[in-house]
Amino acid sequence: MPSHHLPLLLAAFQYRFHRNLEAMSRHLVDDVAIGWDELGTDLLDGAPPALVAALTGGEKWPSRTLDNLITPDGSAPVRMTVTDDTADALDVQWGYILHAQGIEVISLLHQDCGPFVDWRTDPRTAFSDDPARWSSTAPPPLIRPPRAAAPQAATGTAAPARGVPARPAARR
């Protein structure tokens, strides 16, 4: 859900990976054999304590990968490409694609592309989880902007998705 994933991804980009998209992509995409079951608070390493507290309420949980999957026939699991058919079969509802300008958020139930959430967006921004509101022709649906901007984070901007994504990110 965007309300959970976007704050973690934005804060990870801004703090843990120091705005290095290649390092973040390696960690989230290349260094994981299969995919992600859950993104955890370890992505907030390096973020200011006040931001971590605002995003987690003081709770901590680890990121979990799907690397321990066992296939029905005992063969090694492999990473797959998610198409409309497989997304439906697996009940995948959201796609997150990392781009140079931000994260493209795709409601797989309603769209083939989505709006961009700018990497400068304050991670404390509250986003809607209503798939119908994530249209490629509209800005990301904010429930509530943050009360005060973080020192280095500006208010998020969005643009309609354009072109083919350069690198896929974890899909949920």
Side-chain angles (χ1 to χ4, degrees):
M1 298 286 218
S3 64
H4 171 75
H5 287 70
L6 285 173
L8 292 173
L9 292 170
L10 291 166
F13 177 78
Q14 294 171 13
Y15 298 100
R16 179 173 178 173
F17 298 103
H18 307 286
R19 301 183 179 278
N20 182 331
L21 183 58
E22 186 62 32
M24 184 172 171
S25 297
R26 267 194 316 273
H27 177 79
L28 291 173
V29 181
D30 300 337
D31 292 348
V32 176
I34 305 300
W36 294 92
D37 184 36
E38 182 172 353
L39 298 176
T41 57
D42 50 299
L43 289 176
L44 301 176
D45 290 353
L51 176 61
V52 174
L55 296 180
T56 68
E59 295 182 36
K60 290 188 176 197
W61 62 91
S63 291
R64 293 187 316 223
T65 64
L66 297 172
D67 294 339
N68 296 326
L69 286 178
I70 300 171
T71 60
D73 66 0
S75 63
V78 295
R79 189 182 308 222
M80 69 177 161
T81 302
V82 177
T83 64
D84 289 341
D85 293 336
T86 57
D88 289 342
L90 296 171
D91 195 29
V92 175
Q93 297 178 7
W94 297 95
Y96 302 91
I97 302 174
L98 309 180
H99 292 271
Q101 69 268 38
I103 305 168
E104 182 180 5
V105 180
I106 304 170
S107 164
L108 297 175
L109 300 175
H110 296 279
Q111 300 283 319
D112 290 330
C113 58
F116 284 89
V117 176
D118 191 289
W119 286 120
R120 297 170 295 177
T121 302
D122 188 317
R124 296 170 297 170
T125 302
F127 294 95
S128 172
D129 288 334
D130 179 356
R133 294 189 61 201
W134 285 89
S135 168
S136 62
T137 60
L142 304 180
I143 293 175
R144 175 183 80 254
R147 287 184 227 200
Q152 69 175 25
T155 303
T157 58
R162 329 178 251 307
V164 176
R167 167 169 272 226
R171 289 187 176 255
R172 280 193 52 103

